[in-house]
């Protein structure tokens, strides 16, 4: 059992969706783990190797998560917070349990929370991912502009490219131009992808009321 002290077994790095740890409230309920007063560990493994683990304890209508987290090889931070549970009646008797997403300002009723550094619903993680992508693209654009300044070109990757400045070696010029093109491509690709995401998000907005209706 890994438990809380086994921080070295956690994987660092980016919180991409494939990297996420899913916590399914239906599984917890099936295993009888949601009765108040329980205290247990939850482990994620791949090919028999433990990737991550968290500790949970239960109270009435809530689960307290306890684990350690760090980003980019930084200091381990102890994390502890409450995830509220909500129960809804089923059509054919009995009741169904949900997590309320603990991310600030969210509170969505969901079956699965995904753990990066915090456990939250997929909507919240998608939002965080898009914000991160946006800063990556902005950085590429700024770097392209820095090179454009050195070359004496007008700022903005949508503007036409100039030639080699007088007095600059061809080798230097070609190296800078290759760097500029790489940053510009990253930035263009990011913008194109964001437009795609916006379109998909608009589709999701149209679908959301149906999804909510089904969950009721
Ligand atoms: Zn959320």
């Amino acid at each position: 059992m890994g438990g809380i002290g086994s921080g070295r077994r956690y994987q660092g790095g980016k919180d991409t969706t494939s990297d996420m740890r899913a916590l399914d409230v239906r599984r917890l309920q099936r295993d009888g783990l949601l009765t108040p007063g329980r205290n247990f560990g939850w482990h994620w493994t791949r090919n028999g190797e433990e990737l991550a683990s968290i500790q949970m304890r239960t109270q009435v209508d809530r689960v307290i998560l306890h684990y350690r987290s760090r980003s980019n090889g930084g200091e381990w931070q102890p994390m502890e917070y409450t995830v509220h549970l909500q129960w809804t009646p089923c059509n054919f008797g009995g009741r169904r349990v949900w997590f309320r997403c603990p991310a600030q300002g969210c509170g969505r009723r969901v079956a699965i929370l995904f753990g990066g550094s915090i456990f939250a619903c997929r909507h919240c993680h998608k939002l965080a991912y898009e914000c991160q992508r946006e800063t990556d693209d902005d950085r590429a654009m700024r770097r392209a502009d820095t090179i454009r300044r050195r070359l004496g070109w007008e700022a903005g990757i949508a503007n036409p490219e100039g030639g080699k400045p007088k007095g600059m070696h061809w080798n230097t010029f070609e190296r800078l131009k290759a760097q500029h093109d790489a940053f510009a491509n990253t930035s263009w690709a990011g913008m194109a992808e964001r437009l795609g995401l916006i379109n998909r998000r608009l589709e999701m907005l149209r679908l959301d009321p149906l999804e909510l209706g089904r969950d009721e």
Side-chain angles (χ1 to χ4, degrees):
M1 297 290 277
I4 296 167
S6 63
R8 69 187 181 281
R9 295 198 200 173
Y10 282 74
Q11 282 197 331
K14 284 196 164 178
D15 296 332
T16 55
T17 337
S18 59
D19 226 12
M20 297 238 177
R21 319 285 171 233
L23 196 57
D24 191 329
V25 76
R26 295 162 298 189
R27 174 76 195 280
L28 296 178
Q29 185 182 24
R30 233 179 6 252
D31 292 357
L33 295 168
L34 293 179
T35 46
R38 300 214 45 158
N39 195 337
F40 55 94
W42 195 261
H43 304 260
W44 289 269
T45 56
R46 187 186 294 147
N47 302 326
E49 194 188 341
E50 181 175 302
L51 298 174
S53 69
I54 64 171
Q55 203 70 18
M56 282 183 269
R57 59 177 199 275
T58 54
Q59 294 174 0
V60 176
D61 292 340
R62 68 189 62 190
V63 179
I64 293 120
L65 305 186
H66 190 179
Y67 56 95
R68 299 201 303 164
S69 164
R70 69 172 174 178
S71 57
N72 301 323
E75 289 287 300
W76 288 103
Q77 302 288 335
M79 309 287 282
E80 181 169 325
Y81 50 87
T82 297
V83 178
H84 291 273
L85 302 173
Q86 194 181 358
W87 304 83
T88 55
C90 294
N91 284 339
F92 303 103
R95 47 185 201 154
R96 193 179 161 177
V97 66
W98 303 88
F99 286 131
R100 302 302 298 259
C101 172
Q104 207 169 10
C106 181
R108 276 188 183 83
R109 201 168 65 195
V110 292
I112 301 174
L113 294 176
F114 296 93
S117 56
I118 72 153
F119 283 82
C121 73
R122 68 190 168 87
H123 300 270
C124 289
H125 278 295
K126 189 165 179 291
L127 203 67
Y129 174 72
E130 280 171 39
C131 292
Q132 181 56 44
R133 275 303 307 266
E134 202 159 324
T135 50
D136 288 349
D137 300 341
D138 287 347
R139 195 178 308 126
M141 199 187 294
R142 276 203 310 279
R143 286 180 175 166
D145 270 341
T146 304
I147 294 171
R148 292 180 80 92
R149 265 201 303 280
R150 272 188 75 181
L151 294 172
W153 297 358
E154 192 180 345
I157 56 173
N159 286 316
E161 298 177 1
K164 181 180 84 66
K166 274 207 181 79
M168 182 179 276
H169 286 293
W170 274 104
N171 281 346
T172 310
F173 173 69
E174 274 158 17
R175 181 173 49 82
L176 288 174
K177 169 135 175 43
Q179 286 174 357
H180 167 271
D181 291 352
F183 288 135
N185 282 340
T186 301
S187 185
W188 285 124
M191 282 189 266
E193 191 174 325
R194 268 211 302 287
L195 281 176
L197 280 175
I198 288 167
N199 282 335
R200 281 206 293 281
R201 170 163 286 188
L202 287 174
E203 282 165 27
M204 274 170 58
L205 284 175
R206 283 200 296 276
L207 291 174
D208 260 350
L210 293 175
E211 225 176 8
L212 287 173
R214 192 191 59 211
D215 286 345
E216 287 296 337

